[in-house]
Structure formats: C-alpha cells, structure tokens
Amino acid sequence: DTLEAIAFEKAGIIKPNIPIVCSRSIASSALDVIKNKALAEKAPFHLGEPTNSAFLSALQLKGSYQEENLNTVMQSVHVLNEYGFNIDPQIARMALGKVRELTGLRGRWEILQLNPVILCDTGHNAEAVPFLMSQLELEYPDQTKHIIWGMVGDKDRNRILKLLPQNAHYYTVKPGVIRGFNAELLQQEMQNQGFNNCQSYPDFESAIIAAHSAAVRDSGMLFIGGSTFLVADALAHFESK
C-alpha cells in the first residue's frame, strides 16, 4: 500500500548480473528501492534516456505519457545491442509504427469513432488518471466531455474520483467481470463528491447509447475509461458492429 512496498515487490524480477532498465518517471523513493535491489544483485542499472523525436512521431500509440515509455524502450534497445544483439534502430522505428498489429496491444488512447469522437484508455489507478485527463483537455479543450466510467471493487475509488474533472457528464457502468464495482454505488459515491452530472446504467450497451446521443446533441466527445475490463467491453462492442 505504499510506492516503496510496491517497488520492492516489482524489483523481485531483477536477476543477478542481468541489466535492468528503469523509467525516469518513477518516484524517487521507489527508484531508490529498485536501485538498491539492482546493487545487491550486481545487476547493471540503466535509466531511460530521451530519444530522437523521429521515434516518438513514428510511434503508433498516442498519448503524451507514451513519451517516457518510449524513452525506456529505446534505452532497452541500446542496452541489448551492448550485450551482443543487433537491433537496427531504423527497424525499431518501423516497428513502432506497427505496435498494435505486431503485439495486439489495444485500448491505449485508441480512437474508436470520429463523429462524434469516441476514444478509450485505461485509467485504473491514481497515478494514471491525471495523465489521461490532462491529455483529454489538451486535445479537446472546447468540447463537452461525456465520460463512461467503470471500476473494479478493489481500487482506491475515493482517491481516483478526486482526480476526475467535475464539469464532465458521467455514465457509470459495472465492467463485465465479477470484480466489477456496482454502477449505482459508484454513481452515489461520485455524487457525494460533487459530481452533479452523473447517471448509472445497467450495462455498457445502454451507457454507450445514452452517451453517444448526448455527445451528438451538444457536439461533444466521448471518453471511455477507468477499468481495463471496461475498455475491453468497449472494444468488444465496437468490433461487433
């Protein structure tokens, strides 16, 4: 339940004498834990380094937060080449433009429809939500935001909800898994925190119909987020159309 404790568990992946590459975006207290584990295991330690902007522009995955992820990836390529691999940076650049096709990675700032704009991204913890909301405001500053939001029961909802913009319209729904948190209870919790434009729905299908109609009516846009499982529900919905 602390960054240091989480970092200690994550650092269990570090193996003796095997290099470790770590993102610079990690909190210093957590980074110290990882560095100490690497030192104890005699594992060469590397931090992600700013990469060529051409690689960022080539990256198929959108969202400003991907820049730091890319820095870590390209530093990993550099380290692998130092250890005898032969990864051509230009081949890597081409691969970045086909990440979804090559890996099957979905649901990261993914546009599902253009008119009105409907996009999805996971935001299942308090560290991720500020990045998503700032990106949302940056790209769609003048549009009314309709947000379909769902969470699982074991997340710190009180902390996460405080990071959401209160001027958006919310449609709460239970993600389609056993761990999904009840949509009506989530609506009540949000209303208790001052979210006045909030309504619960029994399933994703009814939520998307309501949110889509509202976005068309006021020339707004629609964001689907929260639980990864809710994003999966959204992807399944749009793929079945």
Side-chain angles (χ1 to χ4, degrees), residues 126-144:
E127 287 68 37
V129 171
F131 288 103
L132 296 181
M133 295 303 114
S134 62
Q135 183 79 13
L136 199 61
E137 186 59 33
L138 178 67
E139 293 195 18
Y140 306 97
D142 301 320
Q143 289 183 265
T144 302

Side-chain angles (χ1 to χ4, degrees), residues 62 65 107-110 119-123 132 223-226 231:
K62 302 308 175 185
Y65 56 85
R108 302 312 304 265
W109 206 258
E110 182 171 346
L119 66 86
C120 64
D121 202 328
T122 61
L132 296 181
F223 177 80
I224 303 165
V231 170

